[in-house]
Amino acid sequence: MPVTAWSYLLFLLPSLAASAPSFSSVNPRTWRSRQASNTQTKRWSNDSYPTSSQLCAAPGAQAMNAPYPNVWSGLTGEETASVTAWLFSQPQFNLTVTAEAGDWDNSLLMIELMEPNKTDVLNYLENSGPLPSRYAHVIINHRASEEPVYQDLLVGPLPLQHDTVTSEPLTYPYTRKTEGKVRNLDADDETWQAWKANVSSTILDITLDLWNGSYLGLDNDTLVVFGIDPLWQDDGITRWDQFWNSQESVQESLTLLPLGLYFTTNATGRDASKWTLDGWLYNSIFYETTEAFRAAYYSPGFVKNGANVDGSWAYSDQEGEIPALDTNFPPISIAPSGSRYFTDPDQNYVKWMDFEFYTSFSRDTGLSLHDIKYKGDRIIYELSLQEALAHYAGNDPVQSGTAYLDTYYGFGPFAFELIKGYDCPAYATYMNSSFYNGETTRTHIDSICLFETEADYPIQRHSTSEYASATKNIYFTIRTVATVGNYDYMFSYEFYMDGSINIVVRASGYIQSAYFAKNEDYGYQIHDFLSGSMHDHVLNFKIDFDILGTSNTMTTAANVAATEVYPWSKGKARNTMKLQRGTIENEDQAKINWASNGATAFTVVNTDAKNIYGESRGYRIHPSSPTIHLTVENSSNLEKAANWAKNDLYVTRQKDTEPKSSHPYQSQDVFNPPIDFDAFFDGESLVQEDIVVWANVGMHHVPHTGDLPNTVFTTAHSSLVLSPLNYLLGSPTRETVNMVKLLYGGDEGTTVETFGQGTAECAVPSVQGLMPDLTQYVGDQVIRKFPYDPNHPYFETESI
Ligand SMILES: *[C@@H]1O[C@H](CO)[C@@H](O)[C@H](O)[C@H]1NC(C)=O
Ligand SMILES: *[C@@H]1O[C@H](CO)[C@@H](O)[C@H](O)[C@H]1NC(C)=O
Ligand SMILES: *[C@@H]1O[C@H](CO)[C@@H](O)[C@H](O)[C@H]1NC(C)=O
Ligand SMILES: *[C@@H]1O[C@H](CO)[C@@H](O)[C@H](O)[C@H]1NC(C)=O
Ligand SMILES: *[C@@H]1O[C@H](CO)[C@@H](O)[C@H](O)[C@H]1NC(C)=O
Ligand SMILES: *[C@@H]1O[C@H](CO)[C@@H](O)[C@H](O)[C@H]1NC(C)=O
Ligand SMILES: *[C@@H]1O[C@H](CO)[C@@H](O)[C@H](O)[C@H]1NC(C)=O
Ligand SMILES: *[C@@H]1O[C@H](CO)[C@@H](O)[C@H](O)[C@H]1NC(C)=O
Ligand SMILES: *[C@@H]1O[C@H](CO)[C@@H](O)[C@H](O)[C@H]1NC(C)=O
Ligand SMILES: [Cu+2]
C-alpha cells in the first residue's frame, strides 16, 4: 500500500504481460485426449549425500498437460512486441519512448492481455465454441495535452495482422462512459518535484535549525517530502505534504521518520505559475503564509518538537539477547516423495488431489485463479484480488488525507522473487511472473510458490477406550508476496482435503507512521516522537462461484433465538433457538455484513442441484479469521472510489460489463471514478442466476510498539474460507490414506492400521543441503520489447 510520491517516481506505472500460452486450434475435448501425466520423480543428485539406499525426491512439480489451453495467460513476448510496434507506428498516439518521455509527452504505460469475456470462455469450454479471441489491453499516458488523461484501449485481435488491426477505447468494463479516459492528476510529476524543492528551500533556515537537514531537490538532500494520496479534488486540486527524515542505511525506515511540518499547495491545472502555497502546519498551528510561519518560528515561546531519527530501532536485523537454544536449527518440513501435485508450466495450470485450476497474473492485482474445479466440477470461475485500500486518519492533514488504493501502484510489479525456505518451505516449487514496464517485459523469477504442507493439527481424530483414530491435515498452498512501497502483502490460497479453500492475506513491512504531536485520538505513541497511525486495511476479492453450473443462489441460514411450544412440551413455552432459512433475492438485498455473533451462514447453492436429502448443494463463505469493512463513512478522501469497502460482502449478477470492482485510476477522479461499484446494484434478481460474490478481508490496524520495526504476519492477518455445505454426502477427508487407527487394549496388544499409506524409506542430503542456496536470489529479468530484437532480448538487468 503506502507508496508515495518518492517511490511513485521510481516506479512510474509499470504493467504486465505474463508467460506465454501456445495457442493452437484445439477445443477442450481434443486437448484433453492428448493429456498424459508424467509422474517421473526427480531425485536428489547424490554428490552431497552418497548412500546405498534410495535418495528422497528433489523438489519439482510432477508434469502434466493442462486439459485445455490457458485462455487467461498473459501475452507472449511476440504479441507484446507486435502491439508495441504497432502503437508506435500510429501517429495518432504520438508516443515517446518511456525512458525519454517528460511530463508533456505521451508514453505507453501498459500492455497486457484483456481478460476474455466469461460468455466467450464458457462457450468454448462447454459448447465446443471457438477459442476466445485475444485482445491487448493498452494504457497510454496521454500527457501531451492541457488535460492529461490515461487512455484505456483495446487493440486486436491477436495475432495482429497489419491490415485488420483495430484499436478502440476500452469502455465496456467501466460504469463511467468517458471513452476509456481517466484524468491524470500525476502528469506533472517533474514539475511537482521542483515545486516541493522550491517551497522547502524557502525555509532552509528552519529545516536546518530543526533537523540539521535540507530538501532542495539535490542528491545530497537529507530530508524527504511526500504527502496525501488521493489528492483532494473537491475545489481544484489540493495537496498536503510533510517533511520526513531520510533513512541512513539500506533498510527502508523512511515511513517511520515523520517530522511533523506540513504545507499545503493548491496545484490546480498544469501551469505551475498558477499554483499557490496555501499555508503551513506545525504543532497543530496553521499559518497561512511562509512569512507568518517564519515570524512565529523566530518569536519567543515557539515550541519546537523533536525529530524522529533513523537508527537500529527501525531496522529489522537481529537485535537483543538471543533466547536460549535459539541458535539450534529449528524444525523444518521435508517432502520425501517429492511434490504430490502436477503443474503444466506452459499453461500455468495446477492440480493437487481433487482440486485443479489455472492461474493468471496482472499488473493491477497480481495472481488470479481461474476455473477452480473440485472433483471434476467447476466451483469457482474466477478468484481474484480486486483492490486493496489502506485508509488512515489523524490530527494532521497528511494522515487524515491518506487512503491508498494500491492497484494504482499495482501488485504485479511488486511481486518480487520469494525468499526460499522463508517465504515458502524449502521444498516448494515456483512460477515466474511478468509485467510490462516502459517497453520492456520484466520477469520476477520464482515469485509464486506452490507447496503442500502439514498443518500442526490433524484434520480429524477420535478415540475411545478401544481405539484412537486421526487423519493428517495436509493442505496445498499457492502464494505470492507483493511489497507495495513500505508494506508487504502475502496472499495465500490454501486448499484442504475437506474441499475448502482458504483465502488468506497477511501484512508485514513498515507501517506508515504519524508525527506524535497531539495525535492521541488516532494512535498510540510508539517511539520518541512517533505515533502509530491508525488505519483500516480492506481488500476486495471477486469470487465468481459456479456451483454445478452457472445458475446459483445465495442462501442464508440464521441461528435465531426462539420461544416455542411443542406438542410434547405440555403447553409450556421453551426458550430455545431455530434455524431461519432465507434467500438473497435481488441486488437490493445484496450489500451484506456478517451477522452479529456470527449468526448467519451465507451459502452459494444451486437449488436445481439438490442432494438425495433434498438439500441444495453449495459452498459456504465465512471469515476464518477476523475480517472488516471500512470504518470511515462517506470518506472525504475516497468519495465514490471505493464503494466496495462499505460492507463485508456483496452479491451481484455476473456481467461481462462488470468484470472488476475497481480500476487502478479510481484515485484520479474520486467523485466520478471509472468504476462506481454502487452502480452494479440495480435490483436485478439473484435467484438461480450467474452470481458473483465480492467479499472483503482486512484489519483495523492501530500500530503499537510491537509494529516496530516491522508489522508481523501473526496478527496482521485476515482470511475467508469457502467450504462445501451439503455438497457431498459425507466428508471427503475419508479418502486420504494418511490416517491411522490404533486398536488397543485387547489381548493381542495394539494393532496399527495404516490404510495403505506410502512409506518414506529414503535418505535426504544433509539437512543443510535441503536449504536453498540463497546466493541464487536474482531479482528481475528485463526483456526489451521496443525496439524488439528476439535474438538479443536482454536489454538490461536490474532489480526493482
Ligand atoms: C549415486 O549413488 C549410487 C548408489 O550409491 C552410485 O552407484 C552412483 O555412482 C552415485 N552417482 C554419483 C554421480 O555419485
Ligand atoms: C506530440 O507530442 C509532442 C510531445 O511529445 C507534442 O509536442 C506535440 O504537440 C504532439 N503532437 C500532437 C499532434 O499532438
Ligand atoms: C465482451 O463483452 C462486452 C460486453 O458485452 C462486449 O462489449 C465486448 O465486445 C466483448 N468482447 C469480445 C472480445 O467479444
Ligand atoms: C522553482 O524555482 C526555480 C528558480 O526560482 C524556478 O525557475 C522554477 O520555475 C520553480 N519551479 C516551480 C515548479 O515552481
Ligand atoms: C549536520 O549535517 C551535516 C551534513 O549533512 C553534518 O556534516 C553535520 O555534522 C551535522 N551537524 C550536526 C550537529 O549533526
Ligand atoms: C549538497 O550539494 C550542493 C550542490 O552540489 C552543495 O552546494 C552543498 O554544499 C551540499 N550540501 C551539503 C550539506 O553537503
Ligand atoms: C485552487 O485554485 C483554483 C484556481 O486555480 C480555484 O478555483 C480553487 O477554488 C482553489 N482551491 C482552493 C481550495 O483554494
Ligand atoms: C523462470 O524463469 C527462469 C529464467 O528465465 C527460467 O529458467 C525458469 O525455467 C522459469 N520458471 C518457470 C517455472 O517457467
Ligand atoms: C453517508 O451517506 C449516507 C447516504 O448519503 C447518509 O445516509 C449517511 O448519513 C452519511 N454518513 C455520514 C457519517 O456522513
Ligand atoms: Cu497496517
Side-chain angles (χ1 to χ4, degrees):
M1 54 153 158
V3 170
T4 36
W6 99 95
S7 48
Y8 157 69
L9 235 200
L10 296 175
F11 304 138
L12 207 63
L13 295 174
S15 91
L16 134 103
S19 75
S22 66
F23 275 81
S24 47
S25 57
V26 287
N27 68 36
R29 312 286 180 279
T30 58
W31 179 278
R32 195 169 288 126
S33 66
R34 288 169 33 205
Q35 170 181 333
S37 68
N38 168 6
T39 53
Q40 214 151 44
T41 295
K42 278 171 262 164
R43 301 275 154 195
W44 292 98
S45 70
N46 49 355
D47 25 325
S48 59
Y49 192 91
T51 167
S52 54
S53 68
Q54 195 183 28
L55 288 164
C56 291
Q62 313 301 331
M64 75 177 282
N65 289 329
Y68 60 89
N70 187 338
V71 297
W72 305 276
S73 239
L75 301 178
T76 64
E78 288 71 22
E79 285 174 328
T80 305
S82 70
V83 173
T84 314
W86 184 81
L87 291 163
F88 272 90
S89 75
Q90 301 298 301
Q92 75 265 30
F93 300 126
N94 192 15
L95 290 171
T96 300
V97 169
T98 303
E100 284 152 27
D103 287 355
W104 285 84
D105 299 311
N106 295 348
S107 58
L108 200 43
L109 281 178
M110 187 189 83
I111 302 176
E112 68 181 29
L113 180 77
M114 181 65 206
E115 197 167 292
N117 287 333
K118 184 178 182 183
T119 307
D120 298 335
V121 176
L122 291 190
N123 186 40
Y124 164 65
L125 293 181
E126 304 196 332
N127 306 325
S128 300
L131 262 172
S133 35
R134 287 163 70 74
Y135 286 83
H137 176 191
V138 170
I139 300 179
I140 290 176
N141 194 3
H142 189 89
R143 286 178 295 180
S145 160
E146 284 297 335
E147 291 182 349
V149 291
Y150 297 107
Q151 171 75 62
D152 274 283
L153 289 177
L154 207 53
V155 177
L158 299 169
L160 293 188
Q161 313 284 338
H162 266 255
D163 37 350
T164 62
V165 182
T166 63
S167 90
E168 57 182 83
L170 177 62
T171 56
Y172 69 82
Y174 311 134
T175 59
R176 190 178 93 161
K177 301 302 175 194
T178 48
E179 297 183 316
K181 294 186 175 110
V182 191
R183 70 174 177 195
N184 178 351
L185 297 182
D186 292 319
D188 295 300
D189 202 68
E190 287 170 22
T191 315
W192 172 244
Q193 300 305 325
W195 171 270
K196 288 191 302 186
N198 283 4
V199 169
S200 173
S201 67
T202 65
I203 57 150
L204 179 61
D205 52 331
I206 294 176
T207 65
L208 284 170
D209 182 55
L210 276 174
W211 315 304
N212 187 32
S214 62
Y215 178 71
L216 301 171
L218 301 174
D219 290 343
N220 60 6
D221 283 345
T222 56
L223 303 174
V224 177
V225 173
F226 67 84
I228 59 171
D229 175 10
L231 305 180
W232 295 350
Q233 300 161 31
D234 57 330
D235 182 9
I237 299 299
T238 302
R239 292 178 176 263
W240 268 102
D241 286 87
Q242 180 178 200
F243 286 82
W244 303 72
N245 235 334
S246 43
Q247 62 200 44
E248 285 168 4
S249 84
V250 67
Q251 299 229 23
E252 197 175 41
S253 53
L254 173 63
T255 54
L256 296 181
L257 307 173
L259 292 170
L261 174 61
Y262 314 83
F263 62 87
T264 182
T265 303
N266 182 338
T268 307
R270 298 207 71 176
D271 180 357
S273 71
K274 300 208 166 75
W275 294 355
T276 53
L277 177 73
D278 284 358
W280 293 88
L281 182 75
Y282 187 75
N283 206 11
S284 298
I285 302 168
F286 182 70
Y287 306 94
E288 285 190 6
T289 62
T290 306
E291 295 68 40
F293 175 48
R294 170 168 286 103
Y297 189 86
Y298 291 108
S299 300
F302 183 85
V303 177
K304 298 177 189 174
N305 291 319
N308 289 303
V309 180
D310 201 13
S312 65
W313 65 277
Y315 299 161
S316 58
D317 293 346
Q318 196 281 330
E319 196 178 60
E321 194 185 332
I322 298 173
L325 304 183
D326 183 59
T327 55
N328 293 355
F329 199 93
I332 53 167
S333 329
I334 62 165
S337 309
S339 300
R340 307 195 316 152
Y341 51 90
F342 301 92
T343 64
D344 181 339
D346 295 334
Q347 300 301 332
N348 296 326
Y349 165 83
V350 179
K351 179 168 164 55
W352 173 78
M353 301 293 154
D354 284 339
F355 284 103
E356 57 192 300
F357 56 84
Y358 290 79
T359 71
S360 70
F361 192 83
S362 76
R363 179 230 166 253
D364 296 349
T365 58
L367 179 69
S368 299
L369 309 190
H370 303 270
D371 196 9
I372 303 176
K373 287 185 176 162
Y374 179 57
K375 292 185 177 291
D377 289 313
R378 178 183 317 122
I379 52 173
I380 295 171
Y381 176 77
E382 179 186 350
L383 174 54
S384 55
L385 177 70
Q386 298 293 300
E387 183 60 277
L389 165 68
H391 197 306
Y392 292 73
N395 82 325
D396 75 66
V398 168
Q399 296 307 312
S400 184
T402 300
Y404 295 113
L405 289 165
D406 277 331
T407 65
Y408 175 84
Y409 305 101
F411 286 85
F414 302 111
F416 299 110
E417 181 175 357
L418 294 161
I419 307 174
K420 299 181 175 85
Y422 290 82
D423 284 325
C424 314
Y427 57 77
T429 57
Y430 293 85
M431 305 198 301
N432 299 333
S433 62
S434 298
F435 58 97
Y436 183 89
N437 182 340
E439 291 88 43
T440 66
T441 293
R442 285 172 186 251
T443 298
H444 285 137
I445 292 166
D446 296 350
S447 49
I448 299 165
C449 70
L450 308 168
F451 60 91
E452 250 193 329
T453 195
E454 181 178 4
D456 61 0
Y457 62 98
I459 200 166
Q460 170 278 339
R461 83 174 312 290
H462 190 62
S463 53
T464 70
S465 60
E466 287 169 292
Y467 81 100
S469 72
T471 309
K472 288 188 178 178
N473 186 4
I474 309 291
Y475 65 99
F476 178 77
T477 302
I478 181 166
R479 172 175 292 168
T480 177
V481 174
T483 303
V484 186
N486 49 312
Y487 239 56
D488 299 64
Y489 291 103
M490 175 181 280
F491 298 98
S492 307
Y493 295 100
E494 301 169 349
F495 296 83
Y496 288 82
M497 291 301 282
D498 65 351
S500 62
I501 302 173
N502 202 18
I503 304 166
V504 187
V505 175
R506 295 187 169 86
S508 188
Y510 282 98
I511 59 167
Q512 174 169 310
S513 61
Y515 196 67
F516 84 114
K518 302 185 175 72
N519 203 47
E520 303 78 26
D521 290 343
Y522 301 91
Y524 300 112
Q525 185 170 352
I526 59 172
H527 202 70
D528 296 348
F529 304 104
L530 201 63
S531 164
S533 185
M534 74 183 290
H535 56 281
D536 278 355
H537 295 275
V538 192
L539 297 94
N540 190 240
F541 283 85
K542 177 183 183 184
I543 311 166
D544 181 352
F545 284 101
D546 281 355
I547 304 295
L548 302 161
T550 52
S551 295
N552 290 172
T553 304
M554 169 79 90
T555 61
T556 57
N559 288 27
V560 293
T563 301
E564 288 281 315
V565 179
Y566 299 94
W568 43 262
S569 64
K570 298 189 174 169
K572 283 189 194 160
R574 295 185 57 76
N575 291 335
T576 181
M577 62 183 170
K578 296 176 80 169
L579 196 63
Q580 190 175 72
R581 297 187 187 216
T583 299
I584 306 295
E585 300 280 348
N586 58 55
E587 289 178 341
D588 293 338
Q589 306 169 355
K591 295 178 175 174
I592 302 167
N593 287 334
W594 303 117
S596 107
N597 197 27
T600 306
F602 296 89
T603 307
V604 175
V605 303
N606 184 334
T607 58
D608 297 324
K610 293 195 164 43
N611 69 14
I612 56 172
Y613 308 115
E615 301 283 4
S616 297
R617 298 172 65 189
Y619 258 73
R620 185 180 167 194
I621 173 169
H622 52 117
S624 42
S625 63
T627 68
I628 67 153
H629 56 265
L630 181 61
T631 308
V632 182
E633 290 178 22
N634 306 339
S635 165
S636 303
N637 297 328
L638 295 172
E639 298 297 342
K640 294 181 177 159
N643 285 336
W644 52 266
K646 294 177 176 174
N647 296 89
D648 291 327
L649 74 162
Y650 304 84
V651 191
T652 63
R653 186 84 75 83
Q654 192 282 331
K655 294 202 178 122
D656 289 341
T657 51
E658 294 174 357
K660 292 178 189 304
S661 64
S662 191
H663 182 285
Y665 302 129
Q666 298 283 92
S667 62
Q668 303 295 294
D669 204 345
V670 294
F671 288 93
N672 191 11
I675 297 176
D676 177 355
F677 185 64
D678 276 347
F680 287 20
F681 296 82
D682 41 17
E684 285 173 298
S685 167
L686 297 172
V687 177
Q688 290 302 89
E689 297 289 348
D690 190 358
I691 59 175
V692 177
V693 174
W694 313 82
N696 290 324
V697 303
M699 47 240 159
H700 302 300
H701 193 180
V702 186
H704 65 110
T705 50
D707 283 272
L708 296 179
N710 282 176
T711 295
V712 287
F713 282 139
T714 40
T715 48
H717 168 217
S718 177
S719 56
L720 283 170
V721 65
L722 318 176
S723 58
L725 189 114
N726 294 322
Y727 188 78
L728 302 168
L729 293 177
S731 173
T733 62
R734 297 307 83 212
E735 289 167 11
T736 180
V737 297
N738 290 302
M739 56 162 74
V740 70
K741 184 165 81 177
L742 312 178
L743 287 162
Y744 69 101
D747 295 339
E748 302 90 46
T750 300
T751 316
V752 179
E753 206 164 317
T754 55
F755 303 95
Q757 268 179 37
T759 53
E761 308 249 339
C762 61
V764 294
S766 72
V767 168
Q768 206 57 50
L770 290 174
M771 300 313 290
D773 176 4
L774 295 176
T775 63
Q776 300 303 304
Y777 192 95
V778 288
D780 65 353
Q781 243 185 33
V782 182
I783 300 181
R784 179 145 288 275
K785 289 296 182 297
F786 184 84
Y788 184 57
D789 178 355
N791 299 316
H792 300 96
Y794 296 94
F795 165 71
E796 57 178 332
T797 297
E798 65 184 61
S799 291
I800 66 167

